[in-house]
Amino acid sequence: MSAAMAAALALFSLLAAAWGLPPQLDPHFYDRSCPQAQQIVASIVGKVHYQDPRMAASLLRLHFHDCFVKGCDASILLDSSATIVSEKRSNPNRDSARGFEVIDEIKAALEAACPHTVSCADILALAARDSTVMTGGPGWIVPLGRRDSRGASVQGSNNDIPAPNNTLPTIITKFKLQGLDILDLVALLGSHTIGDSRCTSFRQRLYNQTGNGLPDLTLDASYAAALRPRCPRSGGDQNLFFLDPVTPFKFDNQYYKNLLAYRGLLSSDEVLLTASPATAELVKLYAADQDVFFQHFARSMVKMGNISPLTGGNGEIRANCRKVNRY
């Protein structure tokens, strides 16, 4: 281990208590049982990113949507079965969550190298970090040792994940219920600097924002005009649009600059500027200083990645991320 990495891990240990991280999670968790684990994950994420530049955002989103439902326990990966209704069927995930085959590939490689050792929940956490780095964003040390759930919650997925049309107070509440504050909220939504959204997620802003038949006045008129041809009043629901049309595949702070120009694609993005002085100040800060955004994003990703993990004797290490083990 390099001196720089050793120093970083020492600093992480000092900060862990201050961040309120579960003591069971440890960046060294697989050092003996599967020392090549992180290298395997990074290698496959890198290969897939080269093949499909959209996948980085999809893998980052999987981790987010997993952690907001029952904690970071890989419940989002479970397919439906006789006893499980998959979270993949929920409104936030249906027709949009993707990357499951990438997690399958990573899991197969890890099972070949270190059978019954690395959890699917930890794969999601590592893949999210590596996806961020590979698109130009910050890195962070990932605490490890999560275990996988034996169940899912489609109701939790429908209720707990922030929606594109939620008001800012609702979004703040949903983050607060996960132990995340306003800084975490504004920093983590910066992940929308990469990725896409479907027409159906923002159509109301173009035509009928408040039920009065008028467009959203906080959406730049010229930007709205450019969106309408591929997002008509009806039809085209699945048509994809860049969340950040300026640098769509680069993890940077352009997302916040777009908000300042009233060019946030989703209502849940633009309200960070328009609905609260506190969130607006953070938008301005991150737009002006990418380094600060990167620091806050990395810290908030560690914090989010440690929402209610299963550890110790809880949960299991799935052999197949799509289904629970048979005993």
Side-chain angles (χ1 to χ4, degrees), residues 5-20:
M5 180 58 74
L9 286 171
L11 177 59
F12 178 92
S13 297
L14 289 173
L15 293 175
W19 290 349

Side-chain angles (χ1 to χ4, degrees), residues 11 24 67 101 162 196 220-221 258 266 273 321:
L11 177 59
Q24 306 94 325
C67 289
E101 71 285 352
D196 309 277
D220 176 77
N258 295 341
L266 304 179
L273 178 69
C321 291

Side-chain angles (χ1 to χ4, degrees), residues 187-260:
L188 290 172
L189 283 183
S191 61
H192 286 178
T193 185
I194 56 175
D196 309 277
S197 184
R198 297 173 296 157
C199 165
T200 187
S201 296
F202 63 87
R203 173 184 281 119
Q204 85 289 342
R205 300 192 72 202
L206 301 178
Y207 304 103
N208 190 25
Q209 174 68 357
T210 59
N212 60 0
L214 297 176
D216 185 348
L217 297 180
T218 69
L219 181 64
D220 176 77
S222 62
Y223 184 38
L227 296 170
R228 287 191 183 98
R230 292 187 57 244
C231 189
R233 289 181 181 272
S234 63
D237 286 4
Q238 305 305 315
N239 288 347
L240 293 175
F241 295 77
F242 293 130
L243 287 162
D244 169 16
V246 181
T247 55
F249 299 111
K250 182 180 180 183
F251 199 102
D252 56 20
N253 67 338
Q254 182 63 45
Y255 164 80
Y256 300 102
K257 296 177 182 179
N258 295 341
L259 297 186
L260 292 179

Side-chain angles (χ1 to χ4, degrees), residues 32-48:
R32 292 183 179 274
S33 61
C34 193
Q36 64 270 55
Q38 297 202 41
Q39 181 180 355
I40 290 171
V41 176
S43 175
I44 294 174
V45 171
K47 180 197 73 171
V48 172

Side-chain angles (χ1 to χ4, degrees), residues 161-175:
I161 295 173
N165 301 327
N166 280 161
T167 65
L168 184 59
T170 296
I171 298 170
I172 290 172
T173 297
K174 289 183 177 182
F175 271 73

Side-chain angles (χ1 to χ4, degrees), residues 137-156:
W140 57 90
I141 296 169
V142 179
L144 299 165
R146 300 167 189 82
R147 290 168 65 83
D148 302 322
S149 69
R150 297 190 180 100
S153 176
V154 68
Q155 181 179 3

